[in-house]
Amino acid sequence: MTVILPGSIIGFLGGGHLSSMAAMAARTMGYDVHVLDPEPNCPARALASQTITAPWSDVDAAARLAEDADVVTMEIEQIPMASLEAAERHSLVRPAPGVLFTVQDRARQKEWLRDHDFPVGPFRIVRSADDTTSAVRDFGAGVVKASTGASDGRGLARISHVEDAAGAWASIGATIGVVEQFLDISAELSVMVARAPAGDMRAYPPARNHYTQGVFTWSVIPGNFEDDVVERATEIACRIAEQLRVVGLLAVELFLLEDGSLFVNELAPRPHNTYHHAERACVTGQFEQLVRAICGLPLGDTDVVRPAAIYKLHADLWTGAQPPDFTEVLALPGVRVHLYGRHGARPGREMGHLSACGANSDTALERVVDAYRRLSISTAGPKP
Ligand SMILES: Nc1ncnc2c1ncn2[C@@H]1O[C@H](COP(=O)(O)OP(=O)(O)OP(=O)(O)O)[C@@H](O)[C@H]1O
Ligand SMILES: [Mg+2]
């Protein structure tokens, strides 16, 4: 199996914060970085020796990125297949376009999971208000999600009463959607798996994640789940990575239900927001691991060295373009600030996160929640 050695060029489809952090890891290891993004001021621009500004649908731009790169990877799954295939004609694309095809459409992803015998909650693919109403009538209560383009609580609506189904369908603005039964969730977790070109895999310990009205809020690692939950979640995540033949990273979001069963929520074949703490907690962070996996280098150790937690920072804490004053929180033990270099603090936008280490997971989480609380008190931001 060919190894792509330091000194080679990694091409990133997407220049947002995930690519930016992966580019930093790549630079640390001696790789050069090229980036394609529709936004000229994208965060990863500062780390790239070449940036192509073009829409995702620009197949020639994707081909140009790939012509110069020794391997191409991506930070988002919504890249048109034609662009991925154009890139693949000139370079290795990892994960491969076929992985993205399965994952980038929520309905297709759910069907793939169900057809490969992975545990998913009851769901129905819907194309109209009537379909949505009838699914909710059968499920009792549900969540309707747009099949493409949803993230961070956008394109998703909870439906508690059947008479709200038509309005919820209209609110997500989709032509195809998925209605899921509203599940009795006791905890949310994710498992990050790295898979190398020859098929070897390393899984990270499950992270415990918290969402507020569908929006990711905090995560802690290790998640301190029962051994049996860790074992089952890890087995499911590794089996999915294997069956999808991912080369790179695969984040698997799971729900632990009140009755102890585990359901897969969704997949992301790239670095993931719920594993930012791995940079501080684990022997190898997710971004270095991505570089190792796509370059065919040995995968790094995923053990937790020191528990760590993160708390998301949204634009609500910003005053215009001005970030909050971090002086007080940076004086707290174990706390760090990570900003994504985004231009434009539009409401709801993720601008960065806080992280904290601790002697155990509880302490790490308490520290990061305390730090966030102090920031939210000093600004008009939402309270934890
Ligand atoms: N079927 C369900 N039952 C109960 N709660 C749910 C269900 N589906 C989603 N949720 C809640 O909404 C959150 C977001 O759902 P999901 O991950 O599908 O959306 P998303 O927009 O892709 O989010 P993100 O991009 O942040 O991962 C979940 O983490 C969970 O808290
Ligand atoms: Mg999710």
Side-chain angles (χ1 to χ4, degrees):
M1 204 65 74
T2 335
V3 176
I4 298 162
L5 290 169
S8 308
I9 299 171
I10 302 179
F12 286 89
L13 286 160
H17 71 285
L18 296 174
S19 279
S20 214
M21 292 179 189
M24 282 188 231
R27 286 270 184 209
T28 302
M29 294 175 79
Y31 290 90
D32 191 4
V33 169
H34 291 187
V35 166
L36 185 156
D37 195 278
E39 172 60 55
N41 276 332
C42 65
R45 185 182 193 99
L47 292 141
S49 64
Q50 274 190 46
T51 309
I52 301 171
T53 303
W56 302 126
S57 55
D58 187 337
V59 291
D60 296 333
R64 255 187 297 139
L65 178 82
E67 269 167 22
D68 290 339
D70 297 284
V71 59
V72 170
T73 192
M74 69 293 298
E75 64 164 357
I76 53 166
E77 41 283 8
Q78 266 73 39
I79 299 185
M81 287 310 289
S83 298
L84 293 166
E85 283 162 2
E88 207 181 29
R89 283 194 277 278
H90 300 279
S91 184
L92 291 167
V93 176
R94 290 175 166 167
V99 176
L100 280 284
F101 179 77
T102 304
V103 168
Q104 65 185 195
D105 178 291
R106 199 189 286 273
R108 193 181 297 134
Q109 184 189 123
K110 281 258 178 232
E111 288 181 317
W112 184 92
L113 286 165
R114 184 192 58 198
D115 295 348
H116 288 76
D117 289 330
F118 292 105
V120 288
F123 72 93
R124 186 96 42 89
I125 293 167
V126 294
R127 291 183 173 75
S128 66
D130 283 352
D131 287 356
T132 307
T133 304
S134 118
V136 175
R137 188 167 292 126
D138 291 351
F139 290 154
V143 182
V144 62
K145 304 178 180 180
S147 202
T148 55
S151 93
D152 294 340
R154 283 181 288 113
L156 177 153
R158 184 177 167 171
I159 311 168
S160 307
H161 307 285
V162 73
E163 56 272 24
D164 300 333
W169 167 254
S171 78
I172 64 166
T175 49
I176 302 182
V178 177
V179 173
E180 298 176 12
Q181 184 169 59
F182 195 83
L183 299 168
D184 201 6
I185 298 170
S186 79
E188 300 200 35
L189 58 157
S190 51
V191 179
M192 177 63 83
V193 181
R195 188 170 176 277
D200 34 320
M201 289 190 280
R202 290 285 177 97
Y204 286 81
R208 182 182 293 266
N209 307 324
H210 184 76
Y211 293 74
T212 313
Q213 279 154 17
V215 178
F216 174 53
T217 312
W218 58 252
S219 177
V220 62
I221 190 170
N224 289 345
F225 293 99
E226 306 270 330
D227 290 349
D228 151 70
V229 172
V230 172
E231 215 170 278
R232 282 186 289 145
T234 308
E235 189 271 330
I236 290 169
C238 288
R239 206 152 36 89
I240 296 174
E242 198 159 42
Q243 294 199 15
L244 272 177
R245 303 184 146 274
V246 171
V247 175
L249 300 180
L250 179 74
V252 180
E253 295 179 18
L254 298 128
F255 297 140
L256 177 63
L257 302 199
E258 291 293 350
D259 69 1
S261 49
L262 274 174
F263 282 152
V264 177
N265 176 31
E266 60 169 350
L267 311 176
R270 53 165 170 81
H272 202 249
N273 267 334
T274 62
Y275 269 86
H276 283 305
H277 39 40
E279 297 310 294
R280 302 193 60 189
C282 299
V283 179
T284 313
Q286 61 170 337
F287 300 107
E288 177 180 336
Q289 194 75 304
L290 171 70
V291 174
R292 286 173 177 247
I294 61 173
C295 291
L297 294 168
L299 297 177
D301 196 342
T302 53
D303 288 351
V304 172
V305 184
R306 192 166 166 76
I310 54 162
Y311 204 112
K312 271 279 160 186
L313 297 173
H314 288 98
D316 322 60
L317 300 172
W318 266 240
T319 310
Q322 194 62 35
D325 181 352
F326 292 109
T327 323
E328 184 189 352
V329 299
L330 283 169
L332 298 170
V335 173
R336 287 191 196 165
V337 174
H338 312 255
L339 295 189
Y340 301 158
R342 282 186 164 163
H343 299 270
R346 292 195 298 274
R349 202 168 193 208
E350 283 181 356
M351 302 301 283
H353 60 268
L354 299 172
S355 69
C357 283
N360 55 51
S361 299
D362 288 346
T363 308
L365 184 58
E366 279 160 23
R367 283 177 169 178
V368 85
V369 171
D370 176 47
Y372 180 82
R373 184 176 293 118
R374 288 168 193 250
L375 269 187
S376 70
I377 289 168
S378 69
T379 65
K383 308 296 172 260

